[in-house]
Amino acid sequence: MEIDYKAIGRRIKFARIRKDVTQEVIAEKVQMSLQHVSNIETGNTKLSLPAIIAMANAVGASVDEFLCDNVLHSKHVFIKEAKDLFEDCDDYEVRVLVDVLKATKDALRKDAALRYKLEK
């Protein structure tokens, strides 16, 4: 299995921005160079498990939030993300987003059923 370091980096960057801290502050907290933190966030470098843990602790996130794009059983992370997306929506936006989700789910289920029939 190939690890998607770009996805991990994007999630670290998003968590840092959500926490409203700079790369400089994170670099100092995790005792890394600013360039290394930048390379992690852009996915241009691999990071170790201790580094992932340090970054998660520095931004108040959980490691599973950073790794969910690489782990098959991460439903709880994506459900939390969906909940967070709805948080600042007004009634109309919630209704439209739910309609889009329902239509997407229906399309995915129909596609899966069709693929299953074609594979037989």
Side-chain angles (χ1 to χ4, degrees), residues 1-112:
M1 175 187 174
E2 190 78 23
I3 295 176
D4 187 348
Y5 288 99
K6 289 194 183 299
I8 294 169
R10 279 191 303 271
R11 289 188 173 278
I12 290 171
K13 180 178 181 178
F14 180 74
R16 177 183 58 76
I17 291 169
R18 189 176 62 228
K19 187 80 169 177
D20 196 29
V21 294
T22 64
Q23 285 183 336
E24 290 86 0
V25 169
I26 295 301
E28 187 177 310
K29 282 186 174 185
V30 300
Q31 299 178 336
M32 291 180 190
S33 71
L34 175 59
Q35 187 61 48
H36 191 57
V37 170
S38 177
N39 285 332
I40 288 170
E41 287 188 359
T42 57
N44 291 329
T45 190
K46 296 179 180 181
L47 66 162
S48 66
L49 184 56
I52 292 172
I53 292 168
M55 299 286 256
N57 287 333
V59 297
S62 64
V63 172
D64 58 336
E65 290 177 49
F66 295 163
L67 301 177
C68 66
D69 297 304
N70 291 277
V71 177
L72 296 176
H73 302 286
S74 296
K75 182 178 177 177
H76 66 283
V77 175
F78 294 112
I79 288 174
K80 181 186 178 306
E81 279 188 13
K83 181 181 174 285
D84 291 346
L85 286 171
F86 282 97
E87 193 100 355
D88 66 343
C89 293
D90 63 24
D91 290 347
Y92 176 75
E93 292 170 329
V94 169
R95 183 173 301 190
V96 170
L97 287 171
V98 168
D99 287 345
V100 169
L101 285 171
K102 285 178 184 176
T104 303
K105 181 180 175 182
D106 288 345
L108 286 169
R109 297 277 169 92
K110 286 177 185 173
D111 181 60

